Amino acid sequence: MSALTPASEVMLRHSDEFIERRVLFAGDLQDTLPAQFEAADVRVHTQQYHHWQLLNRTMGEKAQFGLTVDPTFIAGCDTLVYYWPKSKQEAQFQLCNLLSLLPVGAEIFVVGENRSGVRSAEQTVEGHVALAKIDSARRCGLYHGRVDAQTEFALADWWESYQLHDLEVQTLPGVFSRDGLDVGSSLLLSTLEKHMKGKVLDVGCGAGVMASVIAKLSPKVKLTLSDVSAAAVESSRATLAANGIEGEVIVSNVYSDITGRFDMIVSNPPFHDGLATSLTAAETLIRGAVKHLPVGGQLRIVANAFLPYPDLLDATFGSHEVLAQNGRFKVYQATVGRPARTPKKK
């Protein structure tokens, strides 16, 4: 059993109220509470593949991963427990989808850390659910209400796009770089050479911006993109299609569903899982890279300068180099087969 988040600890304070309910957990759930939750029926929907992996081990088909909820999966549920994410737009998207499928009269519980912006939950579902705060503990808020009216949900209404030079970027709520190219990714892209060849893997692809720029610089590369987020995977596929770029987009928790070797792996790895700081994904990315790179293959990542990646790169690859940096970010490169640097004798 994994440690419970503060939000789940708040939910446990009310667990006796759910014994006879048919409960759907959704949103930014990051622990295994549903697997041990006592109710008539418990199901989980998540857009995060690594969260699904954690729950699928014990819940099987009662844990669902995907961009939107399958209506047959939610049929029969009379209670929703929604974990508020750090992105309000993501919450609006997910709740609109969920409230379009739940019957009028279904009970809704929204829980989240105060710093996540959960206080805006009442306004988000206004007109469909009248939420009221029923508990406050562990720096979290818990809200309760009943569905007064179903929402109307159409996926097409949630797509947005923007131009980046000659690229059209397609994005969905909650996707990294949704509103424009971030500074870190821009710095990494500035280090790329033109006319590269071979196979390139973009880990944590977001909206597919980095891979698309690589394709424009080097049309002969063979692209593979991966992300844990269902919204990111769909956004990357849409971005590639909008620009006539070929590439395979895979749902994967870092390397969990990746096979084969690549000439280069690029990434702007996250160092948060929800609101919590987590270096797990980046550490897995670095340590596992050597299994997916040939001799001479390169890992190139961008990261906040304060993060402790240089020592990890040296321990894994023997050495690393800094290709670019500014006040906040550094672009690191490590190459398989390069011997560790040794100081010259005087």
Side-chain angles (χ1 to χ4, degrees):
M1 181 183 75
S2 64
L4 296 182
T5 62
S8 286
E9 291 177 352
V10 173
M11 287 306 306
L12 278 180
R13 290 158 58 102
H14 301 264
S15 58
D16 291 346
E17 301 176 20
F18 295 85
I19 298 298
E20 297 180 1
R21 299 177 186 266
R22 300 176 65 83
V23 183
L24 174 71
F25 283 83
D28 193 28
L29 179 67
Q30 298 179 38
D31 57 35
T32 59
L33 177 64
Q36 54 196 319
F37 203 73
E38 294 187 21
D41 187 52
V42 179
R43 296 168 182 259
V44 178
H45 177 269
T46 177
Q47 290 186 351
Q48 300 295 319
Y49 189 59
H50 58 310
H51 297 167
W52 174 82
Q53 287 178 313
L54 184 66
L55 291 161
N56 176 253
R57 296 169 190 165
T58 52
M59 297 187 69
E61 293 182 355
K62 291 193 174 183
Q64 182 190 74
F65 165 79
L67 178 62
T68 57
V69 184
D70 184 342
T72 60
F73 183 76
I74 200 174
C77 292
D78 56 27
T79 303
L80 169 66
V81 177
Y82 183 78
Y83 283 66
W84 193 264
K86 63 180 180 180
S87 165
K88 182 178 179 180
Q89 292 75 24
E90 182 179 350
Q92 291 171 329
F93 174 90
Q94 293 174 347
L95 284 169
C96 185
N97 177 219
L98 291 160
L99 296 180
S100 72
L101 299 172
L102 288 167
V104 171
E107 295 200 56
I108 308 297
F109 293 83
V110 178
V111 65
E113 295 188 44
N114 294 330
R115 60 180 177 146
S116 72
V118 70
R119 294 181 182 91
S120 63
E122 295 170 275
Q123 182 183 4
T124 299
V125 297
E126 190 176 8
H128 301 279
V129 181
L131 288 178
K133 181 181 278 191
I134 61 171
D135 199 359
S136 181
R138 303 283 286 136
R139 298 181 179 178
C140 296
L142 175 62
Y143 298 78
H144 170 260
R146 287 180 174 82
V147 177
D148 298 320
Q150 288 183 310
T151 62
E152 293 184 3
F153 178 84
L155 180 58
D157 295 339
W158 294 89
W159 283 99
E160 291 189 7
S161 64
Y162 63 88
Q163 290 295 130
L164 179 67
H165 306 302
D166 59 342
L167 289 172
E168 179 183 335
V169 182
Q170 297 284 328
T171 63
L172 286 166
V175 176
F176 188 64
S177 292
R178 172 169 169 77
D179 300 316
L181 185 64
D182 64 285
V183 176
S185 294
S186 180
L187 185 66
L188 190 152
L189 289 173
S190 73
T191 68
L192 293 172
E193 304 85 6
K194 293 183 178 180
H195 309 302
M196 294 187 300
K197 297 179 181 179
K199 298 167 64 178
V200 176
L201 171 65
D202 179 1
V203 177
C205 55
V209 179
M210 196 177 305
S212 296
V213 173
I214 291 173
K216 291 294 185 180
L217 289 172
S218 304
K220 292 185 178 180
V221 299
K222 184 176 181 180
L223 291 170
T224 301
L225 296 71
S226 72
D227 208 295
V228 294
S229 162
V233 166
E234 292 303 320
S235 295
S236 283
R237 287 173 178 159
T239 296
L240 294 184
N243 296 282
I245 296 171
E246 292 186 6
E248 183 179 15
V249 186
I250 297 172
V251 179
S252 182
N253 179 8
V254 194
Y255 302 114
S256 68
D257 291 63
I258 299 294
T259 58
R261 293 181 182 270
F262 302 84
D263 299 288
M264 177 180 285
I265 299 173
V266 297
S267 184
N268 183 351
F271 63 99
H272 289 97
D273 191 354
L275 291 171
T277 298
S278 175
L279 303 182
T280 302
E283 290 174 351
T284 302
L285 171 74
I286 293 171
R287 290 195 175 99
V290 291
K291 296 180 181 179
H292 294 279
L293 292 167
V295 174
Q298 298 173 333
L299 171 68
R300 190 175 301 190
I301 64 173
V302 62
N304 289 75
F306 65 85
L307 293 171
Y309 297 153
D311 289 345
L312 185 56
L313 287 165
D314 288 345
T316 304
F317 288 85
S319 67
H320 76 278
E321 53 189 316
V322 177
L323 300 184
Q325 59 184 309
N326 56 28
R328 291 179 55 199
F329 299 97
K330 290 184 177 181
V331 177
Y332 300 104
Q333 179 169 281
T335 304
V336 175
R338 179 175 294 178
R341 293 174 180 173
T342 55
K344 295 181 180 179
K345 295 182 179 180
K346 295 183 178 179

